Amino acid sequence: MKTKITELLGIEYPVIQGGMAWVAEYRLASAVSEAGGLGLIGAGGAPAEFVREQIQKAREVTGKPFGVNIMLMNPEADAIARVVVEEGVKVVTTGAGNPGKYMAMWKEAGVRVIPVVASVAMAKMMERAGADAVVAEGMESGGHIGQLTTMTLVPQVVDGVGIPVIAAGGIADGRGFAAARMLGAEAVQIGTRFVVAKESIAHENYKKKIIGAKDIDSEVTGMSHGHPVRQLRNQMSREYLKLEKAGAPFEELEQLTLGSLRKAVVDGDTVNGTLMAGQIAGMIHKEQTCSEIVREIMAEYEEIMSSFRN
Ligand code: TUI
């Protein structure tokens, strides 16, 4: 399938895997790239040298293009920004901040830069700064989110910029892919469905929670202090929301969630861990390989499109 994004990135299918902290390490990223999409290594809060090793490991197992997602709140973001250049990474996506200060260095090195944005203003700013494309991420997504839904954000970003737009948030199957294309997106980014991929190292307990989730099982913490995070409801989210409602200071809430994503992903602690997941968790019913996921989405899309033609 050919779109502006498959052409830009040299990939077979316009499906990009979300750069999820702890989950998106080299095994998941290389499996998605091998399946014809774009795999991403999620730097999350990891040290720069760990990210370098992950890039080297990915390159050992796939000759296909893959990228790195840099979470800009990482204190080592500056060093990671240099590592991607040193290691010759072809694609960088960024999240949770403004990557403007790295743009010149990346452009000079020929890196394709794709910031994740949650507003039209940020998309326009990134286009002016030289971004090759943007991911417009709606609040249906798991993890750190903005305020707009995918349905409202994507077409407004498409109208606001000239560069290709990738839709994210609430997309898990061929219907979501088709809808994103209707809204003007040239590709989709998918996170939660890849958390439960066979190649994902996320703990089985975490995967089971996603597979067992219903439509209304996610909730958003941190809204009151401007750091909203979507996750599956559990003891951790309930306790957080109780403290937040009682007016607890940001520092205390931050202390509560310190290391809690690792607890969920690595230790499988579904009680005290933060089970980041999107609103489409209720649509995910089984563990599949990345190749099965990508092929299924594309087959569903083709079927939808042919049903419209008849
Ligand atoms: O970054 C994400 N999703 C994430 S990051 C993450 S790690 C984390 N762990 C614990 C607490 C908080 C985060 C988990 N999920 N998505 C991309 C994204 N970026 N969504 C929204 C934004 C965004 C927000 C503000 C992009 C730019 C921005 O600009 C602010 C500014 O500097 O003006």
Side-chain angles (χ1 to χ4, degrees):
M1 183 183 297
K2 227 176 175 179
T3 74
K4 286 175 187 161
I5 289 294
T6 59
E7 298 288 293
L8 177 73
L9 304 179
I11 56 177
E12 211 174 331
Y13 303 112
V15 174
I16 295 165
Q17 162 240 317
M20 304 162 287
W22 291 105
V23 176
E25 45 80 90
Y26 81 97
R27 276 164 285 207
L28 184 63
S30 58
V32 173
S33 289
E34 280 294 302
L38 184 80
L40 293 179
I41 292 166
E49 286 313 307
F50 179 82
V51 178
R52 190 193 301 280
E53 286 164 24
Q54 288 284 313
I55 295 166
Q56 292 169 351
K57 284 177 176 164
R59 194 165 289 128
E60 277 171 26
V61 291
T62 184
K64 299 206 172 164
F66 64 88
V68 172
N69 172 267
I70 306 181
M71 203 279 284
L72 295 167
M73 293 191 294
N74 184 330
E76 293 205 21
D78 288 0
I80 298 168
R82 287 191 299 272
V83 163
V84 297
V85 171
E86 288 159 13
E87 294 297 324
V89 170
K90 297 284 185 289
V91 188
V92 168
T93 70
T94 63
N98 182 347
K101 65 174 174 173
Y102 309 121
M103 214 64 112
M105 173 176 69
W106 288 336
K107 298 303 296 177
E108 196 164 320
V111 180
R112 302 283 189 218
V113 185
I114 309 181
V116 178
V117 300
S119 70
V120 173
M122 192 54 143
K124 286 185 168 175
M125 197 192 294
M126 293 298 98
E127 180 177 43
R128 276 198 303 274
D132 295 281
V134 288
V135 176
E137 189 185 90
M139 53 82 82
E140 296 94 322
S141 297
H144 179 78
I145 54 172
Q147 292 172 14
L148 294 180
T149 60
T150 302
M151 179 76 104
T152 57
L153 177 67
V154 172
Q156 294 188 75
V157 172
V158 168
D159 288 347
V161 297
I163 51 178
V165 176
I166 299 160
I171 302 164
D173 64 8
R175 294 171 296 181
F177 180 90
R181 298 285 285 138
M182 296 296 130
L183 296 176
E186 297 287 336
V188 296
Q189 179 181 278
I190 292 178
T192 307
R193 189 160 178 195
F194 284 120
V195 175
V196 302
K198 287 219 168 87
E199 296 93 339
S200 153
I201 55 137
H203 196 284
E204 281 305 313
N205 296 352
Y206 192 174
K207 292 184 178 179
K208 279 190 187 132
K209 282 284 175 190
I210 291 174
I211 288 168
K214 297 190 303 295
D215 52 354
I216 55 170
D217 285 347
S218 82
E219 62 187 357
V220 180
T221 59
M223 200 78 94
S224 62
H225 54 72
H227 292 279
V229 172
R230 183 179 301 285
Q231 58 206 277
L232 297 181
R233 188 179 298 106
N234 66 354
Q235 185 178 301
M236 166 57 104
S237 71
R238 283 197 187 91
E239 194 178 337
Y240 191 109
L241 285 173
K242 205 167 89 187
L243 286 168
E244 193 180 350
K245 213 171 164 186
F250 175 59
E251 293 70 27
E252 185 186 341
L253 293 167
E254 207 176 29
Q255 202 61 35
L256 178 70
T257 53
L258 212 62
S260 65
L261 181 59
R262 183 187 191 284
K263 275 185 202 159
V265 178
V266 181
D267 306 336
D269 183 344
T270 59
V271 177
N272 305 299
T274 300
L275 299 164
M276 291 184 189
Q279 288 185 322
I280 44 69
M283 283 164 56
I284 296 168
H285 307 300
K286 57 178 189 281
E287 213 175 316
Q288 291 170 296
T289 66
C290 292
S291 170
E292 285 165 351
I293 292 171
V294 172
R295 279 163 194 274
E296 195 171 286
I297 291 168
M298 288 302 125
E300 286 166 355
Y301 171 70
E302 293 301 340
E303 202 178 315
I304 290 167
M305 296 316 286
S306 66
S307 80
F308 278 124
R309 278 184 217 110
N310 297 328

